[in-house]
Amino acid sequence: MPEGDTVYQTAARLRRALEGRVLTQSDFRVPAYATVDLSGRRVDEVVSRGKHLLIRVGDRSIHSHLKMEGSWEVYPPGGRWRHPAFQARAVLRTADAQAVGFLLGVLEVVPRSQEDAVVGHLGPDLLGPDWDGAEAVRRIQAHPETPIAVALLDQRNLAGVGNVYANEICFVRGALPTRPVGEVDVPAAVELARRMLVANRDRAVRVTTGDTRRGQNTWVYGREGRPCRRCGTLIRRSELGRTELEERVTYFCPVCQT
């Protein structure tokens, strides 16, 4: 599932292509919104909110979430798409460009006045202009028995951390993903999350180690069975979540993390 920095970059691409321009055509390829026509309306704003995207067109907002496989791509008018047409869920055309949302996990068109119904549950946005670290800390610390990795992934606490960052934050802070929130320096973990996402928001490749060389960009994520970059112990893999249905893969060093 895309992390907040990926969605931030997607919003920036859509903003350059659409913001301030009039839609010449809108095509929503999901049954609930198939008859919605936003052509002739101006795109006022494109914003990211954690892992969510909002394209504000007049009194409507196009809300999308990429989930595991989704993407928004921009093409010139008449340009050939890189994915088959049957995967397209939304097509927005202007005189200068076409933006296509493929395999979007969530796509809906809501009244702009009702955006809170789709994103109001989110915690402070790590890459938002109104970032509030103290509020994120408060929300996480309200549940001291929750494993820290689960708390970081809960978008109601802070918006934008995905599984890569949750694992990397835990390693850098020396905490096992399973360590209860009450035993973690939560302000330090939240500040690290903010610094990591800000550092990567304009990068083509996500880097948490400070080393941009291929294969050197993460500490533990995706490195099961490989030596820890700090102590040489083999990285282990497990699963963790609030429920069995929400379990996510975790990676950790059993020596550097306790």
Side-chain angles (χ1 to χ4, degrees):
M1 186 175 293
E3 317 258 334
D5 52 358
T6 300
V7 180
Y8 180 93
Q9 293 175 16
T10 299
R13 286 196 302 274
L14 291 174
R15 193 177 300 120
R16 290 191 293 269
L18 299 175
E19 202 166 272
R21 294 170 173 83
V22 173
L23 294 180
T24 58
Q25 182 186 16
S26 68
D27 181 5
F28 298 103
R29 302 181 180 184
V30 293
Y33 304 102
T35 61
V36 174
D37 182 8
L38 300 181
S39 60
R41 303 192 187 193
R42 181 179 180 272
V43 178
D44 299 313
E45 236 180 342
V46 181
V47 298
S48 60
R49 184 80 171 82
K51 299 182 182 185
H52 298 250
L53 274 167
L54 293 167
I55 303 173
R56 293 167 173 157
V57 185
D59 62 351
R60 303 287 186 92
S61 285
I62 304 166
H63 168 237
S64 62
H65 193 300
L66 305 183
K67 295 292 186 180
M68 293 298 294
E69 300 177 333
S71 66
W72 276 98
E73 299 183 7
V74 176
Y75 301 93
R80 184 176 180 180
W81 299 350
R82 289 187 291 271
H83 305 285
F86 72 84
Q87 293 182 351
R89 301 292 180 265
V91 184
L92 304 175
R93 290 189 172 95
T94 71
D96 306 308
Q98 53 179 330
V100 187
F102 295 100
L103 296 175
L104 300 174
V106 173
L107 176 66
E108 51 191 342
V109 183
V110 300
R112 192 159 163 178
S113 61
Q114 296 179 22
E115 284 183 354
D116 274 357
V118 292
V119 297
H121 66 287
L122 298 174
D125 182 358
L126 283 153
L127 294 178
D130 56 349
W131 163 245
D132 186 342
E135 175 61 15
V137 169
R138 186 194 68 78
R139 293 186 182 208
I140 292 174
Q141 290 181 330
H143 304 282
E145 301 304 318
T146 300
I148 183 59
V150 173
L152 290 170
L153 285 168
D154 191 335
Q155 302 301 295
R156 297 170 300 180
N157 291 333
L158 69 175
V161 171
N163 211 30
V164 177
Y165 281 120
N167 281 271
E168 296 293 284
I169 292 165
C170 287
F171 176 82
V172 173
R173 292 304 307 163
L176 285 169
T178 53
R179 190 193 292 185
V181 161
E183 300 176 10
V184 173
D185 185 342
V186 175
V190 168
E191 174 58 25
L192 178 60
R194 165 76 170 169
R195 286 192 283 113
M196 281 188 175
L197 266 78
V198 168
N200 284 296
R201 64 185 176 187
D202 297 318
R203 283 177 174 158
V205 177
R206 183 178 298 120
V207 178
T208 59
T209 59
D211 191 336
T212 59
R213 291 177 297 171
R214 184 179 179 86
Q216 303 297 314
N217 55 305
T218 62
W219 291 104
V220 292
Y221 187 83
R223 301 192 65 246
E224 178 190 10
R226 299 179 189 177
C228 172
R229 300 192 192 281
R230 284 182 176 168
C231 73
T233 304
L234 298 185
I235 299 299
R236 295 184 185 176
R237 167 179 166 156
S238 186
E239 294 184 351
L240 183 66
R242 289 187 302 178
T243 67
E244 288 187 9
L245 293 176
E246 295 182 6
E247 284 187 345
R248 305 290 296 278
V249 174
T250 59
Y251 299 90
F252 60 94
C253 172
V255 172
C256 294
Q257 295 169 258
T258 59

